[in-house]
Amino acid sequence: MTRIALITRVPCREDAIEYLNGLRVDYIIGLGDVECPQYLNNYYGILGEMDEVTVMKYLKKSKRLIEDKLFELFSVNFSTDYVLSHFSPRSSQKVMGEVLQYKPKVLVHGHSEIQEEYYILDVKVLSVGSFEKGYYLLFENGKFIKSRR
């Protein structure tokens, strides 16, 4: 079974990198604001507003920037049941409009310090929460598991 860690707001600190690389996961997916993705094992990600150009260049060059779909399971373009976004529907009218139009099963977003789950109509919205605060999500067997460092 494939296990995936979903993260956001990760500082470029040795303890953070070691912890994430020590997780028993197949992939790490960043939802933006991940400072040193090049040091994370099997990392794929989207960009946040705090990411530098060097992060974007690294992800594009290494073909690890999620611009459409990932593993036919996750998408950033609302073409799958599980959608990834940096911004939440609460903070972005664009994301809210897409949630209302496409109605994915689950929208997982970064950007926020807190980890929470809420619904917009029948769409489950999961905030990963800041890794700086110890939060991340695991995805395994079709389920999202709230996790803490």
Side-chain angles (χ1 to χ4, degrees):
M1 236 8 88
T2 301
R3 281 177 46 106
I4 299 171
L6 295 104
I7 56 172
T8 191
R9 299 183 72 157
V10 179
C12 190
R13 290 194 333 249
E14 189 174 342
D15 65 313
I17 302 300
E18 285 178 1
Y19 182 87
L20 288 167
N21 284 337
L23 290 174
R24 293 194 168 157
V25 297
D26 300 292
Y27 301 98
I28 298 173
I29 297 177
L31 300 180
D33 302 338
V34 177
E35 291 181 3
C36 300
Q38 67 272 26
Y39 298 124
L40 295 172
N41 298 333
N42 297 317
Y43 179 88
Y44 292 84
I46 60 176
L47 299 172
E49 82 281 4
M50 301 298 286
D51 288 313
E52 296 183 12
V53 171
T54 55
V55 170
M56 180 192 66
K57 286 180 178 180
Y58 164 75
L59 292 176
K60 280 191 172 211
K61 185 176 181 180
S62 63
K63 297 186 182 348
R64 294 182 179 272
L65 181 63
I66 305 168
E67 297 182 277
D68 186 27
K69 291 182 189 176
L70 182 65
F71 315 130
E72 296 298 319
L73 181 64
F74 299 102
S75 69
V76 294
N77 62 3
F78 288 80
S79 62
T80 60
D81 284 342
Y82 302 116
V83 174
L84 306 174
S85 173
H86 176 65
F87 292 108
S88 81
R90 291 178 176 165
S91 66
S92 168
Q93 289 181 347
K94 178 182 183 299
V95 174
M96 177 63 88
E98 290 173 324
V99 165
L100 295 173
Q101 180 179 354
Y102 298 108
K103 299 176 182 71
K105 185 175 177 182
V106 180
L107 173 83
V108 183
H109 71 82
H111 189 67
S112 177
E113 287 190 4
I114 60 171
Q115 187 177 73
E116 65 178 329
E117 176 182 325
Y118 57 95
Y119 284 83
I120 296 176
L121 301 176
D122 291 332
V123 178
K124 180 190 282 190
V125 180
L126 293 169
S127 170
V128 171
S130 170
F131 188 78
E132 287 177 306
K133 304 277 185 194
Y135 298 111
Y136 62 98
L137 289 178
L138 288 175
F139 181 80
E140 184 175 25
N141 298 324
K143 293 186 180 359
F144 292 93
I145 304 159
K146 294 178 186 174
S147 304
R148 285 223 57 176
R149 184 175 177 192

